[in-house]
Structure formats: structure tokens, C-alpha cells
Amino acid sequence: MLNTTSDIAIKAHANNPKVAEIGDFLAREEEALIELLETLGEFEAADAVRNAARLAAAQTQDLEGLGNELIQVLNGLDSIPLAVVEHMMFAGLGPRDAHAAIRWAGARLTDLLGILEPA
């Protein structure tokens, strides 16, 4: 049996101009987010940022792939131990308030991920 519901939902999102918000965010914040994640040792999440930026800029949108990459970035941000953040800040690496940077990036990515969820 053919499942057309998911196809219809994907087509609706592909035509949604809000999807461009993800690409705009990644175009502005990709380098800073990668630097933050790599400084904290989250190399897989940093790679997911690169992949998400590539997918967001592609002619043909892979919305499921883009969503999966954003989830991987969020999981990476969520898995950073507090002690690692504290050590990084005391060593003078990364942003002065890494806690705020992590929370802000996580909140913004969560908002953007909501664009991809079916209505």
C-alpha cells in the first residue's frame, strides 16, 4: 500500500518559505557553532552542522536528512558535560559564557527543527 500522507507532508514543507530560515541561520552561525562544538570535543555534532548546512543549501531538499542532522547537533549540545564547559571557560577557550552559547544554540535549533515537523 502506498503511503501518500508522508509524501504530501514533505511536499508541503518543501514549498514552505520558512524552511529557508534554517539555511539562513546555518549560513550565519555555522562557523561559530562548529568552533563551539569542536572546542567542547563534540566532533560528530560539528560534522552534523556541516552536513545540515550542505543539505539546507542544496537545490533538492532532503528534509528528513536535514532534520536528522539538526537532531544530531542538538544531541551533541545536550551531551556536553558541565565539567567540560567549566574547564573550557576557565582555560579561556571558546566563548566567555559557553553555558549561554550552548543554551542559545540549542533553543534556536529546537525552534528551527519545529519548522520541519508535520503540522
Side-chain angles (χ1 to χ4, degrees):
M1 183 171 150
L2 183 62
N3 184 354
T4 57
T5 306
S6 62
D7 292 341
I8 291 169
I10 288 172
K11 287 178 185 172
H13 289 300
N15 295 325
N16 185 344
K18 287 189 171 187
V19 173
E21 286 183 50
I22 296 169
D24 292 344
F25 171 79
L26 290 170
R28 281 189 319 272
E29 302 296 335
E30 177 182 8
E31 289 180 34
L33 191 51
I34 288 170
E35 182 180 344
L36 175 67
L37 289 164
E38 287 181 343
T39 300
L40 293 166
E42 288 295 328
F43 299 102
E44 289 180 16
D47 287 340
V49 172
R50 290 181 187 95
N51 292 337
R54 181 184 49 79
L55 289 169
Q59 278 290 7
T60 305
Q61 293 179 334
D62 175 5
L63 300 180
E64 183 176 350
L66 179 57
N68 290 338
E69 296 297 336
L70 294 178
I71 289 169
Q72 188 171 350
V73 175
L74 284 169
N75 289 340
L77 288 168
D78 191 43
S79 70
I80 299 169
L82 179 62
V84 170
V85 177
E86 293 293 324
H87 175 73
M88 182 195 81
M89 288 173 36
F90 288 125
L93 303 171
R96 190 175 70 186
D97 189 351
H99 295 293
I102 292 167
R103 286 191 309 268
W104 177 83
R108 187 65 183 125
L109 288 169
T110 299
D111 290 345
L112 293 171
L113 187 60
I115 292 170
L116 299 177
E117 294 177 357

